[in-house]
Amino acid sequence: MRVPLSWLREYVDLPATETGRDVQAKLISAGLEVETVEQLGADLKGPLVVGQVLTIEELEGFKKPIRFCTVDVGQANGTGEPQEIVCGARNFQVGDKVVVVLPGATLPGGFSIAARKTYGKTSHGMICSSDELGMGDDGTHGIIVLPPETEVGKDAIELLELVDEVLDIAVTANRGDCLSIRGVARETAIAYGLPLRDPALIDVPAPNAYGYPVQVTDPFGCDRFTARTVTGLRPEARSPIWLQRRLQKVGMRPISLAVDVTNYVMMELGQPLHAYDRSLVQGTIGVRRAQEGEKLVTLDGAERTLHAEDLVITDERGPIGLAGVMGGANTEIADHEVTEDGVNGTSDVVIEAAHFDAVSIARTARRHKLLSEASRRFERGVDPQAAAAAAQRTVDLLVLLAGGTAEAGVTEIIAPSAPHTITLPAGHPDKVAGVDYGRETVVRRLQQVGCDVYGQDELLVTVPSWRPDLVDPNDLAEEVIRLEGYENLPSTLPKLPSGRGLTHRQRLHRRVGRALAGAGYVEAPNYPFVSEQVFDQLGLEAGDPARRVVKLVNPLSDEEPALRTTLLPGLLGALRRNDGRGSHDLALFETGLVFLPREESHGATHLPVDRRPTDEEIAALNAALPEQPRHVAVVLAGAREQAGWWGKGRPADWADAVEAARAVAREAGAELIVRKGQYGPWHPGRCAELVVAADGAERVVGHAGELHPRVLKALGLPERTCAMELDLDALEAAGDGVPQAPGISTFPVATQDVALVVDKPVPAVEVEAALREGAGELLESIRLFDVYENAEQLGEGRKSLAYALRFRAADRTLTVDEASAARDAAVALAGERTGAVLRG
């Protein structure tokens, strides 16, 4: 909302020394967000005067039309002689009054004016357009042509009100009253402690039976409708300069007198109005819901198909306007037109000032993508009591400016309603703010807002009609607090309630995040929404459980209507975006929830709002929600170790993804079994299945490895991209909950190396498991350090696996015999289970 300071001063007697910056500070302290204060005409310097065009000479031989004019500027040039000016505009003629800037002046933007030779003539000044003076759009896109009665030589800076300050206020959705000069003036008066001259307090005639006939069939959608008629308007009457300038300052374009007056009153009082050409309205004006499929051509020239919930204004033909949004073209005010028969145009108008349901107007405006100044106000709350005053103000201005006659008939249809009252404990604002305001302050501040207050300890507060946002005691407490000043609230740190800190689950999530970050991964949280097509791109089979998704009824994007069942789509999308922007060496991770629909799905129950839901009702609601386990995933591409003087570096591969899974398992205190696997997006020969043992049974908790080339191509990913995903909740359940620190022994280690020959299909992890079990408690660690294949030495289809076994006792130094016995036991069990034999 743009508020000119000069207009604001009409209703509040601000001190003459107060600037726009001062008012801005006061209003911000009162809770309004004043974003900027625009200084109109700050760099404008005269002489800028009214001139009358005496002669026009058309200059020939140039690429564009050029005119050489003489203009009478009175004594403004010091000589009284006509001013010679070259001008390219063509929307004026001899005898017109125009705005002339003389040499020595400065226009907005620092543009200095001096006599200069151009097009073979010397131009002593310039004939100005509204854009050149920083006035905004006046609809002409040409030279300003002033009314014929304007005095020649008059100072145009004062005439056009070019110097002013305009406050630009970001009005929040609950403060519809501040979308008007009246509302901002009320807040200004309260902030300065000054009286308000309310422009809505004018004499309004009582309704009678002689007004224009109106029928409201939907009192819920329209609870108040005022209609007034003005006849005998001069079609050629133009909006005066002061009215046009005020509209331009608030950001509106002057159109015609009748339209300008309704816009002016709307900006002044906050009540949207509409003027109908009475000669084009046929029969009774009605207010009803539209019939599905009805058509209406609105003032913007678009034909709109109406919805059954749209509220419309009608006559006996059908819709003539979208209520509270925009009028129809079939009753539009006609601009004046000079013909052989005289001046034609609208001379009789019907003024509509109504109050419509905010929700209905908001839905209609969005349904038709037609946001207007009127709908913006209705959906935020308009004062219903101001409708009659706004209609009267419009009638008075039309009669004053266009010489019309106000008909005696007054139509006013009002649906019965009672004022909204709130019971407020006098000490409630004190409790909310933590400040002792006292009853007198609370009552005084509420009365300043416009409330009627009665009572002592329990206050009965009647809310003013212009504040529909005040609905409960907390709203009233907020009014007291903001007017007393948010900056006056004491700064106190809240007392933390005693507790046990983070839960075990939260601590695990943090440890996992720190471990992966320490390993060089960067956290990349993603939205939990996916498209179902991504499962095809990931290569999941038709019956894969991950394809069963929970779909949103109202998704943020129609392209991603489902909740994710895996973290990979989001992470791979982040990797693709970063790779496309030049970051090719990437290691990303994410921990987050996935959403798995239950086998038996049923709709959620509606919980009551008048009481606390029972435990059974809450349990039924939770049972309708999908399962939401937390997963952890990583993706890698490019170099894992950079090349440099220290070495060649190396690319990321499947082993890095597996190692990330092991790092997560260590933080959970779980033993992770890694074996060959095959699933979905992973390369079948480079995919590890990640397994944990819990309650005597093994459970697959994830996969790691290199992604399949088909998946890389479908998703546009770099070559050899690797990924890992784990069910973190399942890993937590399988772990002992406490990460084990490595033990430091004072006794030496005994190392025994063994090379075992097995069939090639035998997984190394099975051989390792057998060695670990056979070695017993003395085995401290086991590591595969070599894989060797040679058909001549080992035989066809055989391979050699070399392991380093470290033995240590906690209470003594092991002998060679003890270490050898443990090694032999390990080899024996490996041979029994996998057919392994010692090499050589």
Side-chain angles (χ1 to χ4, degrees):
M1 176 67 191
R2 292 171 56 84
V3 180
L5 188 60
S6 59
W7 199 349
L8 197 62
R9 288 182 182 274
E10 284 197 8
Y11 310 129
V12 184
D13 288 327
L14 294 172
T17 56
E18 287 293 286
T19 66
R21 297 290 184 189
D22 299 328
V23 177
Q24 178 189 30
K26 285 284 189 179
L27 292 180
I28 289 176
S29 178
L32 294 184
E33 186 180 348
V34 185
E35 293 185 327
T36 60
V37 178
E38 184 178 351
Q39 306 288 334
L40 299 183
D43 52 356
L44 177 64
K45 185 179 73 173
L48 188 72
V49 299
V50 176
Q52 184 172 20
V53 180
L54 300 178
T55 64
I56 298 177
E57 177 187 350
E58 301 288 346
L59 301 182
E60 304 293 340
F62 300 102
K63 292 183 179 179
K64 62 179 181 179
I66 297 297
R67 311 168 94 184
F68 181 66
C69 311
T70 59
V71 185
D72 178 14
V73 295
Q75 296 298 318
N77 57 4
T79 64
E81 296 294 325
Q83 201 79 1
E84 296 179 340
I85 299 175
V86 175
C87 182
R90 309 191 65 78
N91 68 311
F92 64 96
Q93 56 190 359
V94 173
D96 282 346
K97 302 290 181 63
V98 294
V99 178
V100 179
V101 58
L102 300 177
T106 303
L107 293 181
F111 182 60
S112 298
I113 302 300
R116 66 189 184 97
K117 190 170 183 180
T118 179
Y119 297 103
K121 302 284 186 179
T122 301
S123 181
H124 299 273
M126 189 168 74
I127 302 175
C128 298
S129 68
S130 59
D131 287 338
E132 291 164 340
L133 297 179
M135 296 170 55
D137 185 12
D138 64 355
T140 64
H141 302 289
I143 293 302
I144 301 172
V145 179
L146 300 171
E149 63 272 14
T150 309
E151 179 185 350
V152 172
K154 183 177 179 63
D155 184 3
I157 296 178
E158 178 183 352
L159 175 70
L160 299 177
E161 302 176 14
L162 297 178
V163 179
D164 203 349
E165 294 181 275
V166 179
L167 286 71
D168 194 352
I169 304 175
V171 180
T172 54
N174 66 315
R175 292 303 304 272
D177 60 304
C178 288
L179 288 174
S180 65
I181 304 296
R182 178 197 184 200
V184 177
R186 183 183 293 108
E187 291 294 319
T188 305
I190 295 173
Y192 279 91
L194 297 172
L196 169 71
R197 288 189 293 275
D198 192 341
L201 294 180
I202 58 177
D203 292 333
V204 178
N208 53 55
Y210 308 107
Y212 198 93
V214 174
Q215 182 180 12
V216 177
T217 59
D218 189 344
F220 177 79
C222 176
D223 57 8
R224 185 180 294 261
F225 195 106
T226 299
R228 301 289 299 277
T229 305
V230 181
T231 60
L233 299 175
R234 298 194 309 272
E236 73 278 7
R238 297 174 54 188
S239 299
I241 293 174
W242 64 267
L243 192 150
Q244 294 187 44
R245 287 297 295 133
R246 286 195 169 177
L247 289 178
Q248 288 174 329
K249 289 177 184 179
V250 298
M252 302 191 77
R253 179 171 63 87
I255 298 174
S256 63
L257 178 60
V259 176
D260 292 349
V261 167
T262 58
N263 286 336
Y264 176 85
V265 175
M266 176 180 66
M267 302 307 296
E268 181 182 55
L269 302 182
Q271 168 66 54
L273 302 107
H274 190 69
Y276 301 94
D277 189 327
R278 184 177 180 180
S279 64
L280 300 178
V281 178
Q282 299 180 12
T284 301
I285 291 178
V287 183
R288 62 169 171 82
R289 298 289 173 174
Q291 298 174 9
E292 189 69 35
E294 275 189 301
K295 305 289 186 180
L296 172 66
V297 178
T298 47
L299 289 174
D300 58 357
E303 182 181 62
R304 304 184 184 277
T305 302
L306 304 181
H307 189 275
E309 291 185 4
D310 291 335
L311 198 66
V312 292
I313 311 298
T314 65
D315 63 5
E316 64 182 23
R317 297 168 297 177
I320 60 174
L322 269 177
V325 180
M326 184 175 286
N330 52 358
T331 56
E332 182 180 5
I333 298 292
D335 204 355
H336 75 277
E337 180 183 5
V338 180
T339 65
E340 295 180 356
D341 300 329
V343 179
N344 293 330
T346 300
S347 58
D348 301 340
V349 298
V350 178
I351 305 300
E352 165 209 309
H355 184 262
F356 302 110
D357 174 57
V359 174
S360 177
I361 299 305
R363 287 176 176 172
T364 295
R366 282 157 180 75
R367 186 179 298 119
H368 294 282
K369 297 180 175 61
L370 188 60
L371 302 181
S372 64
E373 291 289 345
S375 67
R376 183 182 177 210
R377 283 160 176 77
F378 276 124
E379 66 184 48
R380 286 166 172 78
V382 169
D383 181 7
Q385 303 290 342
Q392 182 62 44
R393 178 81 165 125
T394 304
V395 169
D396 292 342
L397 287 173
L398 287 175
V399 171
L400 174 67
L401 302 176
T405 301
E407 290 195 350
V410 177
T411 302
E412 191 165 18
I413 299 176
I414 302 175
S417 63
H420 181 56
T421 59
I422 303 172
T423 300
L424 174 74
H428 183 66
D430 299 3
K431 293 180 180 179
V432 173
V435 177
D436 186 13
Y437 291 126
R439 178 187 178 279
E440 291 185 1
T441 299
V442 171
V443 172
R444 176 172 57 86
R445 288 302 190 184
L446 292 179
Q447 288 176 338
Q448 286 179 331
V449 172
C451 299
D452 292 330
V453 185
Y454 303 95
Q456 293 298 319
D457 295 335
E458 289 285 332
L459 303 179
L460 185 64
V461 181
T462 301
V463 174
S465 59
W466 56 82
R467 290 299 302 275
D469 59 305
L470 302 180
V471 296
D472 60 37
N474 288 328
D475 293 329
L476 299 178
E478 182 183 4
E479 291 300 297
V480 175
I481 295 168
R482 75 174 181 88
L483 293 179
E484 284 294 304
Y486 292 119
E487 68 276 10
N488 296 323
L489 293 176
S491 298
T492 56
L493 291 175
K495 295 181 179 179
L496 294 176
S498 58
R500 294 173 293 178
L502 299 177
T503 65
H504 176 269
R505 189 170 189 245
Q506 291 170 329
R507 289 196 295 270
L508 172 61
H509 298 164
R510 291 196 177 188
R511 289 201 308 270
V512 168
R514 285 195 294 266
L516 291 175
Y521 291 86
V522 176
E523 187 171 13
N526 294 283
Y527 288 117
F529 312 116
V530 296
S531 66
E532 293 184 87
Q533 289 74 20
V534 76
F535 299 124
D536 296 328
Q537 296 171 324
L538 290 176
L540 299 184
E541 296 180 356
D544 195 295
R547 285 183 175 271
R548 293 187 64 240
V549 295
V550 177
K551 291 187 179 180
L552 301 176
V553 175
N554 187 22
L556 292 179
S557 170
D558 292 337
E559 296 180 355
E560 295 180 332
L563 292 174
R564 66 188 179 189
T565 56
T566 168
L567 301 182
L568 290 184
L571 269 180
L572 293 174
L575 185 140
R576 180 179 61 249
R577 287 191 297 273
N578 283 274
D579 180 73
R581 287 162 175 77
S583 298
H584 303 302
D585 303 325
L586 297 164
L588 309 177
F589 84 93
E590 179 181 8
T591 61
L593 301 180
V594 298
F595 305 86
L596 310 177
R598 300 179 186 272
E599 293 297 332
E600 297 182 3
S601 60
H602 57 275
T605 58
H606 292 284
L607 297 182
V609 295
D610 57 341
R611 59 175 174 82
R612 182 189 181 279
T614 65
D615 293 341
E616 292 76 14
E617 289 171 332
I618 295 176
L621 180 64
N622 289 333
L625 298 176
E627 296 181 17
Q628 301 176 49
R630 182 172 290 271
H631 283 202
V632 57
V634 305
V635 293
L636 306 97
R640 187 68 176 133
E641 294 179 3
Q642 295 290 338
W645 58 265
W646 52 85
K648 295 181 179 180
R650 69 174 182 85
D653 61 16
W654 61 269
D656 294 300
V658 173
E659 180 55 33
R662 288 196 171 108
V664 173
R666 284 193 294 269
E667 296 299 328
E671 183 177 352
L672 192 67
I673 302 171
V674 180
R675 60 192 182 202
K676 182 180 179 181
Q678 182 174 345
Y679 176 70
W682 281 277
H683 193 296
R686 298 166 188 167
C687 174
E689 186 177 73
L690 308 175
V691 181
V692 294
D695 300 327
E698 291 187 349
R699 177 182 176 184
V700 178
V701 295
H703 293 83
E706 184 180 314
L707 297 182
H708 198 287
R710 284 198 299 268
V711 174
L712 303 182
K713 182 177 180 181
L715 294 176
L717 299 173
E719 293 183 358
R720 312 304 289 268
T721 297
C722 301
M724 179 277 293
E725 183 167 11
L726 276 173
D727 185 336
L728 193 54
D729 286 354
L731 204 62
E732 178 186 7
D736 58 12
V738 180
Q740 298 296 322
I744 306 299
S745 176
T746 59
F747 297 98
V749 65
T751 302
Q752 297 274 357
D753 293 345
V754 294
L756 302 177
V757 178
V758 296
D759 292 336
K760 284 186 179 181
V762 176
V765 68
E766 293 184 8
V767 178
E768 179 181 325
L771 290 173
R772 188 182 300 278
E773 183 179 343
E777 295 181 354
L778 295 179
L779 182 66
E780 182 181 77
S781 68
I782 181 172
R783 179 174 62 89
L784 175 67
F785 66 86
D786 184 51
V787 178
Y788 177 70
E789 296 180 4
N790 188 310
E792 294 181 1
Q793 296 184 16
L794 303 177
E796 192 68 32
R798 305 280 279 175
K799 64 182 177 181
S800 171
L801 304 176
Y803 293 91
L805 284 69
R806 291 168 58 92
F807 298 97
R808 196 191 314 254
D811 56 351
R812 68 188 187 280
T813 299
L814 292 178
T815 65
V816 174
D817 292 340
E818 287 177 311
S820 297
R823 179 202 63 191
D824 293 342
V827 171
L829 187 59
E832 179 183 339
R833 290 188 177 176
T834 66
V837 296
L838 282 173
R839 181 179 170 188

